[in-house]
Structures are given as structure tokens and as C-alpha cells.
Amino acid sequence: FVRSIPPRAMLRVAAQRLAKRAAPQWGAAARPALVPFARAYADDANLLKTALYDFHLEMGGKMVPFAGHSMPIQYKDSIMEATKHCRSAASIFDVSHMLGSSIRGKDAVAFTERIVVGDIKALKNGTGTLSVVLNDNGGIIDDTVVTKVSDEDVYIVLNGACSEKDQAHINKHLAEFKARGGDAEFIVHGDRSLLAFQGPKAVDVLQPLTDLDLSKLYFGMFTEAKVNGVDVWLTRTGYTGEDGFEISLLKKDTVSLTKKLLENSDARLCGLGARDSLRLEAGLCLYGNDLNETISPLEAGLTWTIGKARRDACDFVGGDVIKKQLENGVDKRRVGFKFTGKGAPARGGAIVKTASGEVVGEITSGGFSPVLGENIAMGYVRKAHAKAGTELLVETRGKSTPAVTAKMPFVTCHYHRPA
């Protein structure tokens, strides 16, 4: 299948998968376009460019429009090779299209808990968690990593494709919060880049460049440090299922640090194409495909993001709906799929049905796993069909392929945690 498509067409298809929201055929109203997508090799004069843009071109990066930016979908290696490299060595991803921001002030934690579902107050300083931002109906506006730097400083990384609506949502509720006497400010870090450095050898490449003992920086922890002589915000986290770091640094320092990391032969630049394969193998959601404003955290299998201490009050935006769902349950669930029959990889929007032809769900993300060597997918099905091992059919290109629901992640994740 892959070899039958010309290389440029392959890239165009991959870029379209990343940049669009598939219109669902089951269980929800049509989704508005997440990011207006121009054709993959169009003039990118009107696209935003990261601090690494020229370096991407110099290194053979194939650029596509993504989240309003010109971003590399791959370099000189294939997406399959890049995916396997990250699982075995170390890969550098430019994720500067993400919206790095902070909420600061005496009531920073209180305001953050108004807009996300997590128990931020209970976090120790310098630790973070995945959380979600909800609308009034309990639907997910965005997923985010929230880090409590201190009681008066909360660092939030939001999806670049959701930047405009996230800022509008946060600023609306911030104005209401401040009108009631709250002390908080929302700050967007437009002067900073964000690099994701992922893979089992990332720590070995990074350690010689800092005096910080990285063995004591566990998954989810944040610190300010010097790396290669420059000040960075370092978080042990990522979007691949591998151990790794996200490095926030000033734009002016981005190219020099990237080049320094690449001096180690274990490190390699990696694009959006492999990033999508890696996150799918790890069972991680892509906003706009697997999450949207019609899906709640309970339906998405993200109930754990709702702090236990917050479940009685549910005093966050959308909390009334979530409280009812916690009490009564939900009708659909996000599940993984493995395929027991041969067929083309399932893509977003593919129908899921029973052997009798009853439509019970849809695929939201799918593709070929370079590591497993087989097709995998995730999507939503009615609760009665969500148990792992349930036999179903996935309709792809007019053909029904046998599949079974499967637990995620599809691969073993490797996060650095205390022994």
C-alpha cells in the first residue's frame, strides 16, 4: 500500500491527516475544521515560522502547513525509520507551534482550577499533570499539560491548533475571575521555543550538557536549569510513550542547542509524521481527531485527569455535566483496535459495526505501526462493545475488516519514575 503512492502524495496524505478533523459519521455532529489546510507544498509565505525554520530546510525537512505554522513532516529518512529511531535512540521534535503560557498571581492555582479539571492545588511545586479544558457542556476544548511551578506560577502548554479559541476561553473566564477580586494574569510566552527530546537515549545525550542530575528528575517534574550554558525550562514529559524531555528556551538559543544535541550520533531530527505514529502506538490522543468539544473526559477514557478531591464539587467550567456523568456513566468509550484480518489501515471517520451490520462506533485515528508491523487504530464505540477483545468490523474503502477492541497503549511505554 505505502509503496504504491508517490512520495509527495504520501506526505500530502500524512499532512492532511494531521491538520484536519475528520467529519464523524457516528455519534456526534459534524466537527468544524480545526486548522485551515492549504495543500502540502503550497507557498508558505503566510504561515508562521519557528526559530528552527531555516535549519529545518538546511537539514532536508519537508515542510507542510500545520496549526498555522510551516512545520517539518519528515526529513531525509522515512517516517517508519524515524519512528523506530525514536523508540531506540533519541529524537528532536520542534514543537514550537504549541502555546506555551503561564497563569501567575496570588490566585494562580485557584483560577487554573476554574479552567481545568485537575487537582492543581495538591501538586507539589515543580510537578505537573495532564488535564483538560472544558466548555459549558463538559466537552473538551483542549488537552494540556499543567505544571505547578509554585503557588503563584502555573505553566500550561496548550495545543497550537487550538491557540485562538483557548486564549479566548481563558481570557473570558479570567475577566470574570478578576471582576470577583481574583488576582491572576494569563501570559503567553511568545519569545520562547519548545523542543521535545524523546527516546531511551535522550537522557544520555542531554546529561553531559547540564549540571542537573537528570536521574532525579522524574516523569512529570519541572525545573529551571542551564543546558549547554543557556537557561531553559525543563520538563520530563513527552508525546511518544518514551522517556524524554520538553525544553522551553528563548528563540535566540534554539538553533545552537539543537545543533549541540545533534553532535551526538544517537540524536536525530524527527518530524510530525513520526510523531503521529509514535503517539498512536502509545495510545495518546490527538486533539481534533480523538478529542473535540462534543466528547467528555469520561468518554475519552480520561476520567483519571479529574482530581478525586474535585469530584464532589466539580467547580470547574462544565462541572455540572461532568458530575452527572460521574454519577450515571456515559454511553460511549474510547478504545483501541487491533485487526485480525488483512486490509488497508483504518483512518479517521471509518465506521465500526457488528457482524450483523449494526453501526456501533467510528475510528478517530489509525495507521500502520512501524514498531509492531501491523495496523492499529483508536476510536469510540458504544459502551456495550468497549470491553477488550470484542469482535467488530471496521469499514475501510468499502471493505469490512475484522478487528477486536484492544487495551492501550499498543506498545510498552517507558517513563522515568522512582524505583
Side-chain angles (χ1 to χ4, degrees), residues 326-343:
L326 287 168
E327 293 170 352
N328 303 322
V330 293
D331 295 329
K332 64 180 180 180
R333 292 297 303 269
R334 181 173 65 93
V335 298
F337 292 88
K338 286 197 167 187
F339 295 83
T340 55
K342 292 183 179 181

Side-chain angles (χ1 to χ4, degrees), residues 154-338:
V154 180
Y155 175 48
I156 301 180
V157 179
L158 297 152
N159 280 299
C162 301
S163 174
E164 290 188 10
K165 71 170 184 174
D166 285 352
Q167 291 184 71
H169 177 81
I170 292 170
N171 284 323
K172 172 191 171 185
H173 288 283
L174 180 60
E176 296 171 356
F177 184 80
K178 293 172 75 171
R180 296 192 297 268
D183 178 13
E185 296 293 338
F186 177 54
I187 300 163
V188 173
H189 300 299
D191 59 341
R192 304 185 74 88
S193 296
L194 188 64
L195 302 177
F197 192 37
Q198 302 284 293
K201 295 185 179 180
V203 63
D204 297 326
V205 177
L206 193 62
Q207 185 61 83
L209 305 182
T210 180
D211 292 334
L212 179 70
D213 184 354
L214 296 177
S215 69
K216 296 179 181 178
L217 189 74
Y218 298 109
F219 180 72
M221 292 179 65
F222 166 99
T223 190
E224 297 182 22
K226 281 191 179 294
V227 175
N228 197 38
V230 302
D231 295 320
V232 306
W233 300 343
L234 191 64
T235 309
R236 198 142 194 174
T237 188
Y239 189 52
T240 63
E242 295 298 328
D243 183 25
F245 307 86
E246 288 189 355
I247 307 168
S248 173
L249 71 168
L250 292 176
K251 289 181 177 179
K252 67 180 182 64
D253 298 323
T254 309
V255 174
S256 61
L257 178 57
T258 302
K259 288 182 176 180
K260 186 64 177 180
L261 293 172
L262 289 171
E263 288 179 7
N264 190 305
S265 60
D266 285 328
R268 186 185 295 180
L269 289 170
C270 196
L272 293 173
R275 189 167 181 255
D276 194 48
S277 297
L278 289 157
R279 69 90 192 170
L280 179 58
E281 291 177 341
L284 301 174
C285 296
L286 174 64
Y287 192 89
N289 283 37
D290 314 301
L291 305 175
N292 63 57
E293 293 196 42
T294 71
I295 295 171
S296 79
L298 279 77
E299 293 167 334
L302 298 175
T303 305
W304 63 270
T305 64
I306 306 170
K308 292 182 179 179
R310 308 200 63 197
R311 296 185 186 185
D312 287 336
C314 284
D315 52 350
F316 43 79
V317 176
D320 291 343
V321 174
I322 298 304
K323 189 172 179 64
K324 291 178 181 177
Q325 290 188 353
L326 287 168
E327 293 170 352
N328 303 322
V330 293
D331 295 329
K332 64 180 180 180
R333 292 297 303 269
R334 181 173 65 93
V335 298
F337 292 88
K338 286 197 167 187

Side-chain angles (χ1 to χ4, degrees), residues 75-97:
Y75 295 87
K76 295 177 182 179
D77 53 356
S78 70
I79 289 174
M80 289 186 64
E81 289 170 338
T83 303
K84 292 178 179 179
H85 180 83
C86 185
R87 295 270 182 241
S88 62
S91 296
I92 305 167
F93 301 82
D94 181 4
V95 291
S96 302
H97 63 287

